Amino acid sequence: MNEMIDWLLLLGLGAVAITSLMSQSIFRAVVFFILLGLLLSLVWIRLDAPDIALAEAVIGAGITGILLLDTLGQLKKTGKLTTEPSPSRARLGLALLASLTLVGLLIWAVLHQPQPAIALHQQVADALPESGVDHPITAVLLNFRSYDTLLEIGVLVLAVLVGLTLQSKDAPPDSLPGLPNPLLHACLTLLIPAMLLTAAYLLWAGADRPGGAFQAGAMLAAAFILLHLSGTRLSPRRSEFLMKAGLVMGFGVFLAVAVSTLIGGRPFLTYPDGSAGMLILLIELALTLSIGLILLSLFTVAHTPAQLPGKRRQDEQ
């Protein structure tokens, strides 16, 4: 039975991917792309990776699907959507050959991969009692390889801040109107609290099971975007201040904890004995809010056209 489910998922992935790529309708292609993300979530669950499955469902299918559908709507509204001629059979054949070649090379690489000289999973298991958490992925991301996570968060925050800075001042801060749908508002009164509770659970569960700040932040971002679509707004000045403060808070807390470890003469990002679990939870609390706001910012920036600084100065003159 399990093998039949795996084969059905494999065939379904291939069929949905091909349908999305070959579809002549852009709207239909986007819908099948969202369906592909949902099927990938089921695949990750079958691979015993529920944390990645949740991130795929929320970001790969949910947030990315909303962005694509909204972009399609904006293009139709502005009249910039044009029908492109269908590619020739020669180009389709070349693309198919390149794809099959890549798949073949990946399969060959997986089947002929060398045996690792060092058993990394065993080293992680041996050092896990000193990490402050009970889940190996959380221990690697926020203790053993915390440098990587700190830099990744810094890059994400910097990219979003640049996008917010390049927004045109002449454009409205939010060109997406609220959806005046009573059914949507009624559903949100039940859905938003459940999503917030789920985000809190994912954050707490990350210490000893699949979950953590990224999955909780993705769920929080989905709740923010639903509120955004329903028309819930703060005042522009207050909203901009809270957005930027929340964006940098996760990176700021992470960096403050990293620097504070130097006070006791320890290396950078080396937690004191007995305090690793508490400090990791503090970092994850701040990162959850920051990741949620980062994903929300990616959604809101897509609705406001960017303007280069030079062009902005010319307009002001």
Side-chain angles (χ1 to χ4, degrees):
M1 185 65 182
N2 290 335
E3 292 184 359
M4 182 181 298
I5 294 176
D6 294 338
W7 278 108
L8 288 176
L9 284 175
L10 180 60
L11 295 175
L13 280 175
V16 171
I18 292 174
T19 304
S20 179
L21 291 175
M22 302 294 293
S23 176
Q24 298 296 323
S25 170
I26 299 180
F27 175 77
R28 185 182 179 189
V30 172
V31 171
F32 275 96
F33 175 83
I34 297 174
L35 180 59
L36 179 66
L38 296 176
L39 287 178
L40 282 174
S41 301
L42 297 178
V43 171
W44 285 117
I45 291 177
R46 292 292 301 157
L47 294 174
D48 295 329
D51 47 350
I52 303 179
L54 178 61
E56 177 65 37
V58 174
I59 300 176
I63 297 177
T64 305
I66 292 175
L67 283 173
L68 291 175
L69 289 174
D70 182 69
T71 302
L72 181 61
Q74 294 291 332
L75 291 175
K76 288 183 177 180
K77 185 185 300 183
T78 57
K80 296 180 179 179
L81 184 63
T82 58
T83 304
E84 298 181 358
S86 57
S88 62
R89 292 185 177 181
R91 293 179 60 184
L92 289 176
L94 182 61
L96 181 60
L97 178 61
S99 300
L100 293 177
T101 302
L102 178 60
V103 171
L105 289 175
L106 291 175
I107 294 175
W108 180 85
V110 170
L111 295 178
H112 294 81
Q113 59 180 336
Q115 293 296 328
I118 301 175
L120 293 178
H121 66 282
Q122 187 60 45
Q123 290 190 349
V124 171
D126 294 340
L128 195 60
E130 302 175 1
S131 66
V133 293
D134 297 327
H135 196 262
I137 296 178
T138 304
V140 171
L141 292 179
L142 292 174
N143 195 326
F144 306 148
R145 298 294 299 271
S146 51
Y147 281 97
D148 296 346
T149 307
L150 177 62
L151 293 176
E152 289 169 0
I153 295 298
V155 170
L156 284 175
V157 172
L158 181 61
V160 172
L161 290 179
V162 169
L164 293 174
T165 303
L166 292 179
Q167 283 182 339
S168 174
K169 290 184 178 180
D170 297 330
D174 186 5
S175 59
L176 184 67
L179 301 177
N181 191 327
L183 180 59
L184 175 62
H185 288 271
C187 291
L188 288 180
T189 58
L190 299 175
L191 189 59
I192 296 300
M195 296 178 73
L196 295 179
L197 287 175
T198 304
Y201 169 76
L202 290 171
L203 175 63
W204 182 259
D208 55 5
R209 67 195 72 182
F214 188 82
Q215 287 72 26
M219 182 62 68
L220 198 62
F224 288 158
I225 290 176
L226 285 177
L227 289 174
H228 187 81
L229 291 173
S230 68
T232 303
R233 306 286 190 274
L234 295 174
S235 61
R237 291 185 178 180
R238 185 178 180 185
S239 177
E240 182 179 0
F241 173 77
L242 292 177
M243 178 72 73
K244 292 184 178 181
L247 285 174
V248 301
M249 185 181 69
F251 180 75
V253 170
F254 205 159
L255 187 61
V257 172
V259 173
S260 66
T261 59
L262 298 174
I263 299 176
R266 290 175 295 272
F268 186 72
L269 264 178
T270 303
Y271 305 117
D273 296 336
S275 303
M278 181 186 65
L279 293 176
I280 288 176
L281 180 60
L282 175 64
I283 292 172
E284 287 198 308
L285 281 171
L287 286 180
T288 297
L289 179 60
S290 289
I291 291 171
L293 291 177
I294 286 172
L295 296 175
L296 174 63
S297 299
L298 293 175
F299 179 79
T300 56
V301 167
H303 298 100
T304 305
Q307 186 172 3
L308 296 178
K311 182 68 168 57
R312 182 179 298 172
R313 287 195 295 268
Q314 293 177 5
D315 294 341
E316 292 175 354
Q317 292 174 0

